[in-house]
Amino acid sequence: MKRDFPTVFERSRSGRRGTRPPAPPKADLESLLGTANLRAAPPRLPELDELSVVRHYTNLSRRQVGVDTNFYPLGSCTMKYNPRAYEAAAALFGELHPYQDPNTAQGALQIIYELQQYLAEITGMDAVTLQPAAGAHGELTGMLLIRAYHESRGEGEQRRVVLVPDSAHGSNPATASMAGYQVQEVPSGPDGEVDLEALRAALGPHVAAIMLTNPNTLGLFERKILELIDAAHEQGVQLYYDGANLNAIMGWARPGDMGFDAVHLNLHKTFSTPHGGGGPGSGPVGAKAHLAPFLPVPTVKREGERYLLDYDRPQSIGRMRSFYGNFAVMVRAYAYIRMLGAEGLKKTSALAVLNANYLRKRLSWAGYPIPYDRLCKHEFVAQPPEGLKALDVAKALLDYGYHPPTIYFPLIVKEALMIEPTETESKETLDEYVRAMAEIAKRGLEDPEWIAHTPYETPVRRLDEVTANRHPVLRWRPEET
Amino acid sequence: MKRDFPTVFERSRSGRRGTRPPAPPKADLESLLGTANLRAAPPRLPELDELSVVRHYTNLSRRQVGVDTNFYPLGSCTMKYNPRAYEAAAALFGELHPYQDPNTAQGALQIIYELQQYLAEITGMDAVTLQPAAGAHGELTGMLLIRAYHESRGEGEQRRVVLVPDSAHGSNPATASMAGYQVQEVPSGPDGEVDLEALRAALGPHVAAIMLTNPNTLGLFERKILELIDAAHEQGVQLYYDGANLNAIMGWARPGDMGFDAVHLNLHKTFSTPHGGGGPGSGPVGAKAHLAPFLPVPTVKREGERYLLDYDRPQSIGRMRSFYGNFAVMVRAYAYIRMLGAEGLKKTSALAVLNANYLRKRLSWAGYPIPYDRLCKHEFVAQPPEGLKALDVAKALLDYGYHPPTIYFPLIVKEALMIEPTETESKETLDEYVRAMAEIAKRGLEDPEWIAHTPYETPVRRLDEVTANRHPVLRWRPEET
Amino acid sequence: MDFTPHTADDVRTMLAELGMQDLRELYADLPPEILEPQLNLPEPLSEQEVLAHLQELAARNQTAAKSFLGGGVRPHFVPSLVPALAQRGEFLTAYTPYQPEVSQGVLQAIFEYQTMIAELTGLDVSNASLYDGAEALAEGVLLALRQTRRMGVVVSQGVHPEYRQVLTTYLHAVGAEMRTVALEGGLTPAAQFDDSVGAVVLQSPNFIGAIENPEPWIAAAHQAGALVVYVADPLSLALLKTPGEWGADVAVGDGQPLGNAMSFGGPHFGYIAVREKLLRQLPGRLVSETRDVDGRRGYVLALAAREQHIRRAKAKSNITTNAQLTALIGAMYLASLGPAGLAEVATTAVVRAHELAAALAEIDGVELATPQPLFNEFALRLPRPAEEVRAALAARGWHAAAPVPAEYGENLALFAATERHDGADIDGLRQALAEVLS
Amino acid sequence: MDFTPHTADDVRTMLAELGMQDLRELYADLPPEILEPQLNLPEPLSEQEVLAHLQELAARNQTAAKSFLGGGVRPHFVPSLVPALAQRGEFLTAYTPYQPEVSQGVLQAIFEYQTMIAELTGLDVSNASLYDGAEALAEGVLLALRQTRRMGVVVSQGVHPEYRQVLTTYLHAVGAEMRTVALEGGLTPAAQFDDSVGAVVLQSPNFIGAIENPEPWIAAAHQAGALVVYVADPLSLALLKTPGEWGADVAVGDGQPLGNAMSFGGPHFGYIAVREKLLRQLPGRLVSETRDVDGRRGYVLALAAREQHIRRAKAKSNITTNAQLTALIGAMYLASLGPAGLAEVATTAVVRAHELAAALAEIDGVELATPQPLFNEFALRLPRPAEEVRAALAARGWHAAAPVPAEYGENLALFAATERHDGADIDGLRQALAEVLS
Ligand SMILES: Cc1ncc(COP(=O)(O)O)c(C=O)c1O
Ligand SMILES: Cc1ncc(COP(=O)(O)O)c(C=O)c1O
């Protein structure tokens, strides 16, 4: 009885009305706007009554899983619990306009200011901007700070290369390109950490920066980080810290103390703001004092009891986003930090790491090889038992009620299953997950047909991605019905 | 892979904490409260982290359908769309305490006052109380008004009987009993309406009141209503109007104009407040002038620009509920009436009736006998084709994505399917529903095994109600795991 | 605006199907003399306009003030996840779970709620909910009268006066006799019951906040063959000996303190719990665990033969719609706090109430009228009528001093504390009251 | 409080599994010299406390005032169903739909959103969303430069100044050249482009609210082989000729007006739409319809080879997390209003803006600086600095007169009207402004 789920357009009927605004005043739009300026026909938006809108989106949501419904150990994404209190908190600021007199927005400016301070404290940085809209946007901001710094020292022309480990998240090299740099990959060593010797060899006066995640995307802490950073600094190379993995070490260690010069954070990961199906996020950037003059405008500063928008930053790289960033996301992160305090943040990281290591151990016993099987941080990378594919394990997991891990990343591990349980999952959940993984391994090896055709119980089953890529259908058209 | 869905207790772990209140001050409870007054052990409530609470109830809700997810033509229940705006509206008044100085609650009192007026206008009554918490509670209030009226005229002892048609909703006779009356059933005639002659015969000086729904539970308007009421009034009998079906006639006719003496409304049906899985509702009662002195205390009155709680009603039947009734439900109904206005209410009823008649016609063509096949109002009663059971049709509907109609009610129709589409459903929805009903009829007759075992695709399938009634298990106990 | 999806075309086509041309024809079977009255109602508004209007009305209420009002409804903190979850459309827009296969969400939530209420009260079974504390009391007493086949009721004056008023209304209707025993020194005095008495009612903490010793009443009631109906604030049961432990037969109360907004008095929910032997006398809905044809656990409405839609005039009650969503909120609240959180909420309230009572009683002319031990509410005797004091405090931004009915004494006012109050609030109210009374 | 579920027992057992006794051992591989810094952060709070604190902070913002502020973000009315639906946990707490079988909700919503944006803009395809209007502009221009393999950009001064600033930052990074053409009489003057120019950018209605005639620029750009990036407020597209109709190649803008709260400037979402031929240059996610193995329609992420996680240093953009939930809100908003509702919202705004402009321009010393036809925003030349006027108006309960940067002229202030304004509001603001300026 499973039928195609209709699109919102297929539910539409000409002339049907939903939410009605107040009746508009009589208007002669041709004369008010100019006949030549009017569109020929109204946009073919759906015409629905309110109930149909509600049913459509309610039922769509029932074809979707989230952290609220399922264990969602998507590696590198920190799918932790998003407290509902923060939705209420953010709503308190919904009616604030970015251009209202700053004296009438002191509460909001105070939140920005204090969050800047908290994040500086947590990362060990000297100054923070909250403008970037997401992690990758933060990366770009950070790399532009570094570039401006080199330029300010007359080394802009000379330093054209950014080093990125081969295990890095794709956004790192993509960012370096957008920042105008050439990207050079640095291999990982057999221990899964950056190959320090290879890195040393790559360093030089042509190198602007190294982008690093620590713990890295294998979930491993780069144990030689201090040496590595010293070596780079000696060559005038700046160190960029991709903070997407900060959830592992909050309160235990600070990128600033390691020697990093710039860092971005993902408020939507580490600081528990919801992922929204893919965003919006917020990617604040912290900088050491020597990079601080280049931070984007405006930042928020305090003068006595007043909070001000500071546009007077002559060395600034400029603006990265309209207004002041994703403020409503900041409110959530602010609330999170205020609720947890220093001890709570530290406990949170420790338990994220405990969960990951426990799961690593148990999964290894359950037959999943762990390519770098040592103390990990908030996540780790496993592989399916010989003979199974990561994709099939992922699809089989769907029928067991789990969102699969990140698969086929990092690229340096074959058939990678990158698993990040986060600290908000309980031991029972991890134990049940291991049971499911063990069963999948066993059954998948015994019955390759079964696993190749999983999932069976989801709203749709495996989808034809090949055709979608060859002949993408990117919008609904009436002809198609 | 379908497993038992765990209870909230099975998800619990000793010592786990969810939402934490502010740390309580140090306290010696034994001395503050008295050792003898303390409970021996804490209640065995579930111990959950917040994420588990969120997941539990989110997933529970995904095992539930509502108007927001499915067409839900549950007869007599008026499962219409519940505008989300009213949830926002009700929340505006969440922090009001019933005992705060009435001068600091003028906005709330104004809503009560005006809603009293609107409902009086809509029903054609002289006065209204908003105190009753639901329809049945309104019925009891109304019957007590009538009883107090008879008592005030010295006829309390003599009038001990309440007449109720055999098609009446169960709450009517139950209410009459709670009001201290004997219930006498009046048969329906072959046209589905009250048998006027039988009613006349039952009338007399021992009769206190007649409880009537009009349109009745067959969805038929009692065409001889004026005669009927005249006959009753001649004998000093009061007429009570069960307003659960007012959705059929709002703006088109008023119980007061028909001659009814008292009426209750279901704000959670006619006035679009959500049903909440079974409540809360609100069951205001309107009364003609001669019954008004007996209305429960307090009512809200207006003096100049001020709104007052009026407790000074010496003939009142007393109180029916603590405080002033289900205020947050009233806010929703108030908003609904203000949005629709007189024209909107009238249109709403007409389209509810149009939907019902259209569906009646189409279902009849689709092979479902309509026992009283004439112009109906907001609902109608159908029967399954010979050879099928109402229960089986209902269960089959579940797999088609519909909530079934009310079944086996009213009692005077065998295998009754009581269908109320409401005005907020579109023609397409009705058409698709008819297609599904036709298919069920056909397939059910061809394949009795299939229909007898429907549904197949719901979270659970047919449940053992016999054992549940013989050996009810009404609470979770740890031993059961 | 209205919420009908019909296009002009739809209306035409559908009317045509019926051989009609005009919506009026749908009302052809109504007596013409009553047809189409002109309703005098305000002009229709859009959503935007109605919300703006309601915001204006809401602004005419003073809600920003710190509130120490009590009387069974109190300003507790509601964890944000509770309304967020309760407002999910499936919970909000379902009705009575008659079709269990697609109603496991509501059914299981009720089953769990029943369990939680049984745990809180120390009794065996609870139902799906009743309207409010007052109606729950009336239903509890009627239940006891049915079971004992007696018509006498004795009620302590310590029971919330509005609950007693509702009870009076209900008992008058069935012709039962009700006697009230006045408080002495703020507590229910010992009493004797004869064999006409079927139900004995007391409340602890009582209306003025004192923790009663229910033992003598319960012993005397059982001696006389009567059942005991015990009114208890559910929050108090986080700490206090349960109705079950004391030996009561029925426990009832109002669920507002469990996560429900005050909302000017409603909706909240009424709870009822009884001993196993009274199960078949329970009014309202009950949910039982069972199994489906595939052996999977599920839940169904059970023992419906007690209810109006089956038993009609002989039903245990006429209740139909109950208070499902607000009871669900109660269950969600309990699930999010757990036993430890609930005990902490109650403990803070207890400590703050004692601090507040001590602080206010120091003010000249003010006297604590509630005997110790008190729980989270108490009454003060003021030198002036409570209405005046309440108004004067409100003008200073404090909601407090709910007037206690004169039957309890002159110039009594009720105060309540919750986990939302801290030392500064207590100090603030003390200062305000001192000012008002000086 | 924190949100970890671990009991003390859990921690012990799990550590034991790892052969550990203390959580510290989990950090044994970190250099000891950087381990366990003392963080100087405020003491932890409970949910109740943090919400109370934030309520206090919120109270330090003035939001009750009627707002006529614009600049691309405006106080529109958001139908209640929009946040109610968007906040459903499945939408709120999912991430990028990498696993389509359990992500059809988000995927289909994106597919529908892409269609709606294409319809609004009159172009062929859109993506899943970008951060905001400014970043969307930067991405649109970079896209045009990639396609044309040129490095010159010409931008009208009518483009929102903050968008131009962001564009400058992005272009500087890749070494592109940007030239700005100043407005003349409030409108973009004709211009010629040489063959170094890959992208030409204009906005209509422009920053000061005037409806541009983009034809000459578009013709000149195409003549020179450049692509046209058109910045448009999506609400204006309910009525105005679309970028597609004018002949633009790329349309970008900010989605705030479509159902998103102002939230002090974010998060909203950026939209981008392009002609088919530019499809493979699009940054960010795209969703395509497809079929599953059983033949059922479904949706998947498509053409991911453009994206960072596949293409890395050669990706079309580094964008990863986008603005899914706010874009979903946009789609929900459009679905609830439909074309008629959207046109009504826009029409009211247009009429009110004209009424307001007329009313305010009558005040002594005030002059309309935006040429007709204007849409829903306009600039006034004031006799005093806009900052001062804005502050004085705020003190009177009106938010209006957003300062326009000096590059546009002296003492210019921006005003916007929406469907939330009525005649009385216009009158009120007029009086307040007259007072402030008198
Ligand atoms: C390691 C790493 N770096 C950077 C990013 C980019 O962050 P965002 O998605 O917020 O742009 C991510 C997440 O996607 C990530 O996992
Ligand atoms: C005809 C009729 N009368 C009375 C009632 C009782 O109303 P309530 O459920 O609100 O108590 C109902 C609904 O259940 C009904 O359908």
Side-chain angles (χ1 to χ4, degrees), chain B residues 435-452:
Chain B
R435 263 196 294 284
M437 288 288 274
E439 204 175 302
I440 288 168
K442 185 161 177 294
R443 193 160 164 205
L445 288 170
E446 284 167 12
D447 187 352
E449 273 302 293
W450 167 76
I451 198 165

Side-chain angles (χ1 to χ4, degrees), chain B residues 97 99-100, chain C residues 65-75 262 349 352-353 355-357 360 376-378 393 397-402 413-430 432:
Chain B
H97 193 287
Y99 290 153
Q100 71 185 64
Chain C
K66 269 274 179 183
S67 177
F68 287 90
L69 293 167
V73 169
R74 289 183 306 271
M262 299 191 290
R352 297 295 180 226
E355 290 170 358
L356 184 67
L360 300 186
N376 56 350
E377 305 203 10
F378 57 86
L393 286 173
W398 299 93
H399 285 316
L414 215 50
F415 293 77
T418 77
E419 78 287 1
R420 278 168 78 180
H421 300 124
D422 60 18
D425 297 325
I426 289 173
D427 217 52
L429 179 62
R430 187 190 53 72

Side-chain angles (χ1 to χ4, degrees), chain A residues 76 134-136 139 169 171-172 242 244 264 266 268-269, chain D residues 95 320-321:
Chain A
S76 195
E139 292 173 29
H169 191 258
S171 59
N172 293 180
D242 173 344
H264 85 261
N266 290 56
H268 47 299
K269 293 174 181 170
Chain D
Y95 203 18
T320 311
T321 293

Side-chain angles (χ1 to χ4, degrees), chain B residues 76 134-136 139 169 171-172 242 244 264 266 268-269, chain C residues 95 320-321:
Chain B
S76 196
E139 292 173 30
H169 191 259
S171 59
N172 293 180
D242 174 343
H264 85 261
N266 290 58
H268 49 298
K269 294 176 182 169
Chain C
Y95 203 20
T320 309
T321 294

Side-chain angles (χ1 to χ4, degrees), chain D residues 71-130:
Chain D
V73 169
R74 289 182 307 271
H76 286 289
F77 177 76
V78 180
S80 308
L81 61 79
V82 172
L85 292 170
Q87 294 259 324
R88 282 182 61 89
E90 296 92 335
F91 289 135
L92 198 65
T93 67
Y95 203 18
T96 311
Y98 292 125
Q99 298 290 338
E101 299 86 350
V102 292
S103 305
Q104 287 300 302
V106 166
L107 285 162
Q108 183 171 332
I110 296 174
F111 177 78
E112 295 173 355
Y113 161 85
Q114 288 173 179
T115 308
M116 293 180 193
I117 294 296
E119 281 295 332
L120 275 177
T121 55
L123 288 167
D124 300 316
V125 281
S126 176
N127 75 357
S129 75
L130 296 168

Side-chain angles (χ1 to χ4, degrees), chain A residues 75-77 133-139 168-172 213 215-217 242-245 264-269 278 281-283 379 409 418, chain D residues 95-96 98 131 285 308 318-322:
Chain A
S76 195
C77 297
H137 203 214
E139 292 173 29
H169 191 258
S171 59
N172 293 180
T213 316
N216 66 23
T217 62
D242 173 344
N245 293 345
H264 85 261
L265 302 177
N266 290 56
L267 298 189
H268 47 299
K269 293 174 181 170
S282 174
E379 64 189 358
F409 182 79
M418 186 195 198
Chain D
Y95 203 18
T96 311
Y98 292 125
Y131 304 141
R285 289 195 190 105
Q308 50 74 26
N318 68 342
I319 192 166
T320 311
T321 293
N322 54 24

Side-chain angles (χ1 to χ4, degrees), chain B residues 81-415:
Chain B
Y81 171 56
N82 305 124
R84 280 290 174 161
Y86 307 160
E87 301 309 303
L92 295 169
F93 302 89
E95 286 277 70
L96 265 188
H97 193 287
Y99 290 153
Q100 71 185 64
D101 180 353
N103 287 322
T104 68
Q106 287 293 300
L109 292 171
Q110 181 176 341
I111 289 173
I112 297 180
Y113 177 80
E114 291 187 352
L115 186 56
Q116 288 174 179
Q117 306 297 106
Y118 300 160
L119 296 178
E121 178 71 16
I122 290 166
T123 55
M125 293 283 155
D126 297 311
V128 165
T129 175
L130 300 181
Q131 207 173 100
H137 203 216
E139 292 173 30
L140 180 58
T141 307
M143 293 310 290
L144 293 180
L145 296 182
I146 288 172
R147 184 167 156 173
Y149 168 76
H150 289 311
E151 282 171 358
S152 77
R153 293 160 47 97
E155 297 183 359
E157 296 295 307
Q158 154 201 335
R159 297 191 180 269
R160 305 299 312 136
V161 169
V162 167
L163 302 181
V164 177
D166 57 3
S167 66
H169 191 259
S171 59
N172 293 180
T175 296
S177 292
M178 283 185 88
Y181 285 113
Q182 290 147 33
V183 177
Q184 188 182 328
E185 264 196 8
V186 186
S188 302
D191 58 358
E193 300 182 35
V194 176
D195 181 333
L196 187 53
E197 289 325 303
L199 183 92
R200 272 192 212 278
L203 288 171
H206 62 294
V207 176
I210 307 175
M211 299 182 83
L212 272 188
T213 317
N214 193 16
N216 65 24
T217 61
L218 294 164
L220 302 176
F221 194 85
E222 300 277 355
R223 286 170 293 195
K224 288 156 293 191
I225 188 67
L226 303 184
E227 265 174 275
L228 186 162
I229 293 183
D230 277 350
H233 276 166
E234 264 166 35
Q235 304 258 5
V237 174
Q238 294 285 292
L239 261 291
Y240 183 83
Y241 182 86
D242 174 343
N245 294 346
L246 193 81
N247 206 49
I249 59 165
M250 276 187 303
W252 292 92
R254 311 195 299 177
D257 297 345
M258 297 177 205
F260 283 95
D261 302 290
V263 48
H264 85 261
L265 302 176
N266 290 58
L267 297 188
H268 49 298
K269 294 176 182 169
T270 315
F271 296 95
S272 202
T273 77
H275 288 67
S282 173
V285 168
K288 285 283 175 65
H290 63 283
L291 297 178
F294 308 106
L295 286 174
V297 280
T299 53
V300 174
K301 67 179 182 188
R302 176 170 165 170
E303 271 180 10
E305 291 297 289
R306 278 190 67 221
Y307 298 91
L308 307 172
L309 287 164
D310 184 9
Y311 289 92
D312 185 20
R313 304 181 60 86
Q315 290 190 276
S316 166
I317 57 167
R319 233 183 212 290
M320 289 302 297
R321 192 202 181 284
S322 55
F323 315 118
Y324 327 118
N326 284 348
F327 179 74
V329 181
M330 299 173 207
V331 173
R332 293 175 172 92
Y334 174 88
Y336 185 70
I337 295 172
R338 291 302 305 264
M339 277 180 84
L340 269 66
E343 272 315 300
L345 293 176
K346 203 173 158 187
K347 178 178 166 200
T348 285
S349 281
L351 294 182
V353 172
L354 178 64
N355 273 3
N357 279 287
Y358 178 78
L359 195 54
R360 175 177 59 84
K361 207 81 179 196
R362 306 280 310 201
L363 265 190
S364 157
W365 288 341
Y368 287 78
I370 312 289
Y372 303 94
D373 199 9
R374 68 164 175 91
L375 182 57
C376 67
K377 289 286 152 301
H378 64 304
E379 65 190 358
F380 63 97
V381 175
Q383 290 171 313
E386 189 66 44
L388 291 185
K389 295 210 195 86
L391 182 74
D392 290 339
V393 171
K395 298 305 176 196
L397 275 167
L398 298 173
D399 279 344
Y400 282 83
Y402 296 105
H403 192 286
T406 298
I407 51 177
Y408 299 111
F409 182 79
L411 308 176
I412 58 169
V413 174
K414 272 198 194 139
E415 300 291 333

